[in-house]
Amino acid sequence: TRFGTLEFPGGYPTDETVRRVYDELDLQRATQLYLDMYPALSAHGLMKGWVRDLGMTDSSQINVTADRLDSSALVLTGNTESLYAFAVFDLKKDGPMVFEVPPGVMGPLDDHNFLFVADIGPTGQDRGEGGKYLLLPPDYDGDVPDGYFAVRSATYCNFSFIRANADVVGYGDKALEFYREHAKIYPLSAGPRPPVVKNITGIAWNSLVPEDASAFEAMHEIIDYEPAEAFGRELLGRLASLGIEKGKPFDPDARLQGILEQAAQQGVAMSRVIAFDCRDDEATVYPNRKWESPYVTNNSTFHRDDHIALEARTVFHFTADGITPAMAAQMPEGKGSRYQTTYKDADGNYLDGTKTYKISMPPEVPVALFWAVTVYDPWTRSEIQSQPYPSISSQSDPAPATNADGSIDIHSVSYTHLTLPTTSP
């Protein structure tokens, strides 16, 4: 075999064969679990990062990038142009939660498995007019009062990031005041209370999935807190085979700890290959160009025919955040947002920070609000930290220069003075 010669004298395994097989079995299961649990790990990283790094004390806090999302934050492919408002909901601690949202905002509400729960805004039940969303926990069996957009989650922990343009909420203090006046988060049982609204532009926070054995500790935190029904017996069985069980301590010995470390590194390597050299034919957006869709299947469930396209799911969750049909749809009604990524130049070579590139934006880009081009660090898939806002857009001030035919040429800057890393940090 790939992991050595296995011997079965008389049909039975030798002690060395037993050791080799169980080490390999645990390594294979752990590596696959790293890939399969990545969506939940990413959701966990977002919520834990907001609570830990942004000083959230309870669910009423709304974190606002009042001066835009800058490169201080380690968050997957964040948008520098939109003003975000981040919220975390703990339905086990607080019970049913009310999220009063203002008009003119949009964004998803996702669960701890990074599965879609509801949309807020033009593609949601409020149709962009704002209203009261009532988030019900998985075990809730009480009455649902009138006057709410009621949605039920399969997990206790949930999160949302709603977005708005500055012409709706303003910048800086105006954005903070907008959310203080027009948004609230509170337990249904307690009634309305003023939100804690915090400007988080310029604050360093980390939402990234661990790339070492601590990822399996995070898996234990997730399944230990959430209902077993949110994961299914098959997945829980694979986790249990590595000692990750609900209601039991997770304490891997030295042998298993080493295997988990290797599995995480292998899982990251596989994810990086799948994301940056996708072999799915549906990934390509245009013929003869290198642009790809992070939603390879053009849907937010990654369903294809009668199955889930596993590598399409990895492409998205390794590089991006936010599961909603509004970001995957073709938008025939003009509602939602559309994203494309590229990692290679016209010749098929990976983009290199020591080189200068040009992107030509065609005239009359078919968008209602804005287009933006943002540069990310391939190691972190977060905004490259060479400048606070590594982007340019149709909203930029000053506006990008326009050619005679209405097109715009965007040039990247070569950072030849930087020492590029050779290994993942």
Side-chain angles (χ1 to χ4, degrees):
T1 70
R2 180 185 58 80
F3 53 97
T5 299
L6 306 180
E7 298 179 349
F8 297 87
Y12 298 109
T14 64
D15 290 345
E16 178 63 15
T17 291
V18 169
R19 184 193 66 79
R20 286 178 183 269
V21 166
Y22 279 129
D23 282 355
E24 183 67 17
L25 184 60
D26 289 346
L27 178 61
Q28 289 192 22
R29 281 182 175 159
T31 303
Q32 191 59 50
L33 277 168
Y34 190 90
L35 295 171
D36 290 344
M37 287 291 289
Y38 206 94
L41 288 169
S42 186
H44 193 66
L46 275 172
M47 291 186 281
K48 195 166 186 175
W50 293 343
V51 171
R52 179 194 62 229
D53 300 336
L54 301 178
M56 294 187 71
T57 56
D58 61 47
S59 294
S60 68
Q61 181 166 323
I62 302 174
N63 297 307
V64 181
T65 59
D67 298 293
R68 300 162 60 198
L69 179 66
D70 69 307
S71 59
S72 299
L74 291 177
V75 56
L76 299 180
T77 51
N79 187 318
T80 60
E81 304 307 301
S82 300
L83 276 73
Y84 289 94
F86 302 129
V88 176
F89 308 90
D90 186 344
L91 306 179
K92 178 181 279 190
K93 174 176 174 283
D94 296 322
M97 292 291 292
V98 178
F99 188 14
E100 294 189 12
V101 300
V105 301
M106 64 175 292
L109 178 64
D110 291 333
D111 74 7
H112 209 161
N113 269 321
F114 228 135
L115 295 175
F116 175 72
V117 176
D119 258 342
I120 293 167
T123 57
Q125 295 183 60
D126 66 294
R127 302 303 181 199
E129 298 179 359
K132 299 178 182 179
Y133 282 81
L134 176 59
L135 186 55
L136 302 173
D139 51 4
Y140 183 74
D141 60 1
D143 295 331
V144 178
D146 295 331
Y148 299 90
F149 303 120
V151 295
R152 186 180 294 271
S153 172
T155 63
Y156 293 117
C157 290
N158 296 259
F159 64 95
S160 179
F161 51 88
I162 53 177
R163 294 163 293 159
N165 272 15
D167 58 357
V168 175
V169 304
Y171 287 117
D173 290 340
K174 288 185 178 180
L176 299 177
E177 190 60 30
F178 175 86
Y179 281 103
R180 290 191 187 105
E181 290 185 5
H182 301 292
K184 292 184 179 70
I185 300 174
Y186 52 88
L188 178 66
S189 60
R193 61 188 181 193
V196 176
V197 179
K198 181 176 181 179
N199 186 356
I200 61 170
T201 299
I203 298 178
W205 50 276
N206 182 4
S207 69
L208 302 183
V209 173
E211 298 187 355
D212 56 20
S214 66
F216 295 90
E217 298 173 12
M219 293 182 201
H220 182 256
E221 292 176 2
I222 295 167
I223 68 144
D224 199 47
Y225 199 76
E226 297 293 355
E229 294 76 17
F231 303 96
R233 292 180 181 272
E234 180 77 19
L235 181 59
L236 291 175
R238 292 202 299 275
L239 289 162
S241 72
L242 300 176
I244 302 173
E245 294 188 72
K246 185 178 179 65
K248 296 182 180 180
F250 175 53
D251 187 22
D253 59 20
R255 179 198 76 90
L256 184 55
Q257 186 72 14
I259 288 172
L260 298 180
E261 183 73 25
Q262 183 181 353
Q265 293 180 20
Q266 290 183 175
V268 173
M270 291 176 182
S271 299
R272 194 171 289 280
V273 168
I274 292 168
F276 294 156
D277 200 345
C278 182
R279 61 181 177 180
D280 193 312
D281 292 338
E282 277 194 86
T284 303
V285 179
Y286 307 111
N288 305 318
R289 294 182 183 268
K290 306 303 180 184
W291 292 92
E292 299 180 355
S293 169
Y295 282 105
V296 173
T297 56
N298 286 319
N299 63 64
S300 58
T301 61
F302 310 107
H303 288 176
R304 178 178 289 145
D305 300 327
D306 59 354
H307 64 277
I308 293 176
L310 296 178
E311 291 182 13
R313 185 176 65 184
T314 295
V315 166
F316 180 86
H317 283 290
F318 188 72
T319 59
D321 285 328
I323 286 293
T324 164
M327 291 198 296
Q330 298 296 324
M331 296 185 295
E333 298 177 1
K335 297 177 181 179
S337 49
R338 189 71 178 171
Y339 300 86
Q340 295 173 16
T341 57
T342 191
Y343 312 109
K344 298 178 181 179
D345 64 18
D347 297 323
N349 300 311
Y350 285 109
L351 300 180
D352 181 343
T354 66
K355 296 188 169 101
T356 297
Y357 299 95
K358 181 179 79 169
I359 298 175
S360 295
M361 297 297 292
E364 300 180 0
V365 178
V367 293
L369 296 177
F370 68 92
W371 57 259
V373 177
T374 309
V375 182
Y376 301 100
D377 178 349
W379 284 120
T380 65
R381 293 87 67 209
S382 304
E383 292 177 31
I384 195 165
Q385 295 181 323
S386 55
Q387 60 193 82
Y389 301 100
S391 65
I392 193 167
S393 79
S394 56
Q395 301 183 132
S396 293
D397 186 14
T402 302
N403 299 321
D405 63 354
S407 65
I408 295 173
D409 293 332
I410 300 170
H411 293 84
S412 71
V413 177
S414 170
Y415 286 91
T416 55
H417 65 283
L418 295 182
T419 301
L420 299 181
T422 56
T423 59
S424 178

